Amino acid sequence: MRLTTLVHCVLFSLVSSLHIAAQRPAIPRDEQVERQVEQTLARLSTDEKIGQMCELTIDVITDGQSGDFRLNEEALQKVFAKYHVGSLLNVPKGLAQRPEVWSTLIRRLNQLSAETCSGVPQIYGVDQIHGASYTWGATLFPQEIGQAASFNRRIPRRVSEIGAYESRVCLIPWVYSPVMDLGRQPLWSRQWESYGEDVYLSCEMARQAVLGYQGNDPNHIPPHGVAACIKHYMAYGVPVSGKDRTPSSVTDREMREKFFQPFRSAIMAGALSLMVNSSVNNGVPFHANYKYLTTWLKDELQWDGMVVTDWADINNLCTRDHVAATKKEAIAMAINAGIDMSMVPYEVEFCDLLRELVNEGWVSMARIDDAVRRILRLKVRLGLLDRKTWDKEPKKLAKEFPLFASDAYAAEALQMTEECMVLLKNEKVKGKNEELNVLPLKEGAKILVCGPNADNLRAMNGGWTYTWQGERTNEVAPQMGHYPTFQQGLKERFGAANVRFVEGVRWDARNFNLDHRTDDWTQLTKAAQGADVVIACVGENSYCETPGNINDLNLSDNQKEMVRTLTATGKPVVLVLAEGRPRIIRDIEPLCQAVVHTFLCGNYGGKALARLLAGDVDFTGRMPYTYPKHTAALITYDYKPCESVGQMSGNYNYDAVMDVQWPFGFGLHYTSVQYSNMRVDKSTFTKDDVLTVTIDVKNTGDRVTKESVLLYSSDLVASLTPDIRRLRAFEKVELQPGETKAVSLKLRAVDLAFVDLNDQWVLEPGDFRLSVGDQHTVVTAHLPPGGGS
Ligand code: BGC
C-alpha cells in the first residue's frame, strides 16, 4: 500500500510485470493434422482456395415455403461446381428441422462439395445455442444467462456435450456458440446470450462450454462432438447506446483486462473457431482491426484456429461503416486484418472480388494460404475429410445416437434448470397461527397464476429457439414433447383444482415489446380475492439481436399495473421474472412478498419452477449480473471507488450514488448458510505464489442445498484506480442439513494483476482484501525489486 507520492514512485519500480504472450501454442501442433492440411492445400487451385473462404446462407440454394424446402439444383451447381464454396450456414426456411432432414441435407451438400473441390467438403454451421435449438425435438436448456446463474461449471459443460451430440446426429459439425461477450450493458438485446457481467465467471463457463462441445483434444474432435465458434470477438456487450451493433468505447487496456479474457480462456481450452463482433470500437470496426484479429489473437496466443465474420460484416465496412469505398476494398481490408472466412452470406461475388484482389496484389497469396490452412485445419480436426464420418443414412445415425431427445437428457435438463433460477426475496406473511415465509407454497393452497409469461413457452425460451426470434415456440414446442408452461407446471404439481390461471396481460402478436390488457382487472381482482397466494409471471417476450432493441428499460406499464392491482387485494404476491435482460421494477418490487428470477429457462422451466416454489428442491442460483433499480444508474459490481460513497462492504448501496435492485452474486435459499473461520495459507506472497483460501460453510437449516462460495478480492491501493472488488474463484458445494464443509479456493497471485497504461499485466506490491460471504482478511504482496516476469 502506498502512502506518499514518493513512496508511490519508488514502489512503482517494484511492480511485477507479467508476460502476456502465450508460452505455448493455444492448441498443440499435431503433425498428422498438419500433414493432411498441407497435402490438401497443395491440391487446391487458387479459385478453390478462395471458395473455401466463402460462407453462404442455405437460402441461396433452397426454394420453398417456411419449414418446407427443396434444393435448387441450378444454384447448387453454381455454388459448388463453379465457386467451390467452403461453408454454408443457417436453418433452411428459418424453422427447426428434424434430424433426418438435417442429415440428408448436409450429406448431400458434403458429397457435392467434396466432388467439386478436390475432396474437401463444405462445413455447415448452425446457431444451436441452448442445446440443439434448431433441431426439431432436441433437448433444450436454459439460455447462457441462466446457466451462469447456477455458478456450477458442470452445467455449461453438460449443456454443450448434449448440444453437440444432438447436433452431430444431424451431421451438423459446427455451432456458433458459446457467446462470451460480457453482458455489462443491461439495455443490450443479447444480454441473455451471455454469461453475465463478470470476467471470471464468463471465463470459467466459456471454458467448460468449449470442452463440452469439443472434448479434451482439439486436434481430434470426437464423433459426438462439434467445433465451437466462440463469439462475438469482442466487447459486443457494451454498446454505449445500449442498441445492438452500435459502437463501444473501450480502451485497449480495459479490452485486454476484461473483454479479451473470456476469449483467451476459451482459446486456451482449445476453441477451434471464432466469430467477430459486428460493431465498431473507438472508430475501428472489429472486422478491420489488425491488432485485435492478428496480433492479439493469432500471434500472441499462437492460435492456429479460424476467424469467421458475422453476418454480412465485410460488406458493412463499405455499406454501413463507410471505412471502405467499395465492397472490394472492404474485402481487402478485412482479409488483410485477419479474417479467414466471410459469412457473406448471399453473394458469390465475394469470390470474384477476392480473386481480383489476389491478381492485383492487394491480398497476398501468403495470406490466402494462411486463411485456407486455418479452414482446412478445422475440417481435418473434425474428421470431415474422412468421408466415413458423414456419409451416413439417417437410420444409421439414429442407431449411433440413441440418446437423442431421451428421457435421460430430459431428466438432466430439469435438474439443471432448477439450479438456474434465483430466489431474490422471500418475506414472512401472516399465516393462521404464525408468521411464515411466503415460499415454499403450502400444499393445498389456492393459487392464482397470471401475467403474459404464465402460459408462454416462447417467453421462457427466448430467441434462437426453433426460429431466430423464437416467435413460433408456443406453436411448435408442444408438438415435440410435454413441456409444461409455468401455469401448467403449477397445476401438475399442486393439482388442477388448486390452481387457477387468468392471463391479465397478453403479448402483442406482432411487436415483441408491446402488451395488452386482457381484463379490466375485475376478473383478476376477483380471482386474487379467492386465492391464498398469487404468482405473477412478468418480464419480456422473446426477441433477438437488433429487433430486440428497446428505448426504455422499465417493465411495461400494463404489467406493473397488473401487479399493483393484485397486491391491492392484500394477498401475498410472488413475482416471477422471465426476461432476457433486467427490466426495472423498483416501484412494484416492494409491494410483492417474494421474487424469483427464472431468466430464460427453456422447456423444463415450468416443471422446475413448480418444484422450486413447492420446496421440493432448494434455490441455489445467484445473480450473474447486477439488477438495476433506476434507468440512470446502470452499473456493474466491479465499479470504481468514486462511483459509491461510504464503506465498502457486502452490498453496495450504502449512501449510494449508485443504487441497485440486487447485486451480482445475490441469491437466497430456503435453508440458511453460515460462513466462518476464513483462513489463508499465506498472509504475504510474491508473484509465483498460489494462495489457498479456506472457509467453513455450514448449512444451518433443515434442507439439503447447494451453496456457491464466491471469493472476491479488492486491491486496496493501486497506481490505476482499482475495481472495488473482483470475483476470483468460486465453488459450488452440496450441504446436508447441519453439515459443515471446509471449502478451499485457490487464488494465483497473478490473478490479482491488472493491465497498466503500457498494456502490460502488472502485480503491484501492497495489500489486498479477500472476502468470502461475510468473512474477510487482508493479504500483502511483497515483490522483489525489479519485479521480474
Ligand atoms: C448473429 C450471430 C449468428 C449469425 C449466424 C448473426 O446475425 O449476430 O450471432 O451466429 O448471425 O446466424
Side-chain angles (χ1 to χ4, degrees), residues 458 506-516 541:
R458 169 180 174 179
R506 179 178 301 163
W507 293 112
D508 185 83
R510 272 180 288 278
N511 181 344
F512 84 94
N513 198 29
L514 191 65
D515 54 29
H516 307 282
N541 204 355

Side-chain angles (χ1 to χ4, degrees), residues 448-631:
L448 168 67
V449 202
C450 54
N453 291 346
D455 193 36
N456 197 339
L457 284 170
R458 169 180 174 179
M460 287 160 62
N461 275 283
W464 296 121
T465 305
Y466 309 126
T467 66
W468 177 42
Q469 296 291 317
E471 79 285 3
R472 291 184 64 182
T473 304
N474 285 333
E475 165 205 344
V476 298
Q479 297 172 38
M480 301 178 201
H482 174 63
Y483 303 130
T485 59
F486 290 146
Q487 67 94 9
Q488 288 164 343
L490 285 163
K491 281 185 179 147
E492 288 175 14
R493 174 59 187 78
F494 290 92
N498 292 320
V499 181
R500 176 146 183 233
F501 166 55
V502 178
E503 198 170 15
V505 175
R506 179 178 301 163
W507 293 112
D508 185 83
R510 272 180 288 278
N511 181 344
F512 84 94
N513 198 29
L514 191 65
D515 54 29
H516 307 282
R517 286 167 55 162
T518 59
D519 188 0
D520 63 1
W521 307 141
T522 335
Q523 199 198 353
L524 204 70
T525 306
K526 224 168 130 206
Q529 279 159 352
D532 298 317
V533 61
V534 180
I535 316 284
C537 303
V538 301
E540 295 190 318
N541 204 355
S542 80
Y543 55 84
C544 200
E545 298 187 42
T546 309
N549 283 346
I550 50 172
N551 292 322
D552 183 354
L553 201 53
N554 280 291
L555 187 73
S556 76
D557 288 344
N558 282 335
Q559 295 187 76
K560 285 188 183 176
E561 204 183 310
M562 179 190 82
V563 173
R564 279 193 211 98
T565 307
L566 294 164
T567 56
T569 63
K571 298 292 170 146
V573 173
V574 179
L575 197 65
V576 171
L577 305 169
E579 53 190 16
R581 65 196 137 195
R583 302 302 288 254
I584 288 177
I585 49 169
R586 181 184 66 249
D587 43 355
I588 55 165
E589 177 274 326
L591 308 174
C592 301
Q593 285 64 46
V595 183
V596 174
H597 202 335
T598 66
F599 302 93
L600 298 180
C601 54
N603 282 335
Y604 297 92
K607 205 161 180 189
L609 181 72
R611 280 170 51 76
L612 286 161
L613 294 186
D616 299 338
V617 277
D618 199 4
F619 280 95
T620 68
R622 286 171 176 264
M623 285 303 296
Y625 58 77
T626 307
Y627 202 110
K629 201 169 188 175
H630 309 267
T631 48

Side-chain angles (χ1 to χ4, degrees), residues 55 89-91 125-129 134 175-177 179 181 190 193 229 231-232 236 244-245 275-278 308-313 343 345 464 468 544-546:
E55 182 176 52
L89 86 149
N90 230 339
V91 66
V126 185
D127 292 275
Q128 310 250 56
I129 74 159
Y134 269 147
V175 294
Y176 301 132
S177 174
V179 170
D181 307 306
R190 306 188 76 169
E193 289 184 59
C229 186
K231 67 186 189 183
H232 309 77
Y236 184 26
D244 185 46
R245 286 175 159 81
M275 190 187 293
V276 181
N277 174 359
S278 278
V308 63
T309 71
D310 202 343
W311 192 266
D313 277 326
M343 188 187 287
W464 296 121
W468 177 42
C544 200
E545 298 187 42
T546 309

Side-chain angles (χ1 to χ4, degrees), residues 133-268:
S133 47
Y134 269 147
T135 300
W136 190 275
T139 315
L140 298 193
F141 301 89
Q143 298 276 6
E144 273 189 31
I145 197 68
Q147 296 175 42
S150 75
F151 279 83
N152 182 348
R153 291 176 181 82
R154 195 178 144 70
I155 290 185
R157 180 73 165 246
R158 283 302 285 156
V159 168
S160 308
E161 275 170 4
I162 296 172
Y165 183 99
E166 296 196 339
S167 296
R168 210 68 196 247
V169 67
C170 303
L171 293 180
I172 294 168
W174 188 28
V175 294
Y176 301 132
S177 174
V179 170
M180 53 191 57
D181 307 306
L182 300 177
R184 294 167 75 83
Q185 160 57 285
L187 282 158
W188 187 43
S189 57
R190 306 188 76 169
Q191 205 219 27
W192 52 274
E193 289 184 59
S194 79
Y195 293 117
E197 73 188 31
D198 179 53
V199 179
Y200 179 73
L201 179 60
S202 300
C203 287
E204 290 298 291
M205 299 313 232
R207 182 183 156 73
Q208 293 302 324
V210 168
L211 293 172
Y213 282 131
Q214 301 190 165
N216 293 322
D217 177 3
N219 277 303
H220 302 96
I221 302 301
H224 294 166
V226 294
C229 186
I230 57 179
K231 67 186 189 183
H232 309 77
Y233 184 69
M234 54 189 164
Y236 184 26
V238 282
V240 176
S241 70
K243 300 281 199 282
D244 185 46
R245 286 175 159 81
T246 60
S248 52
S249 175
V250 179
T251 60
D252 275 359
R253 199 194 71 70
E254 204 189 353
M255 197 66 97
R256 189 179 286 286
E257 188 176 297
K258 297 209 163 121
F259 301 94
F260 186 54
Q261 288 311 305
F263 288 93
R264 188 179 193 281
S265 165
I267 280 175
M268 296 320 277

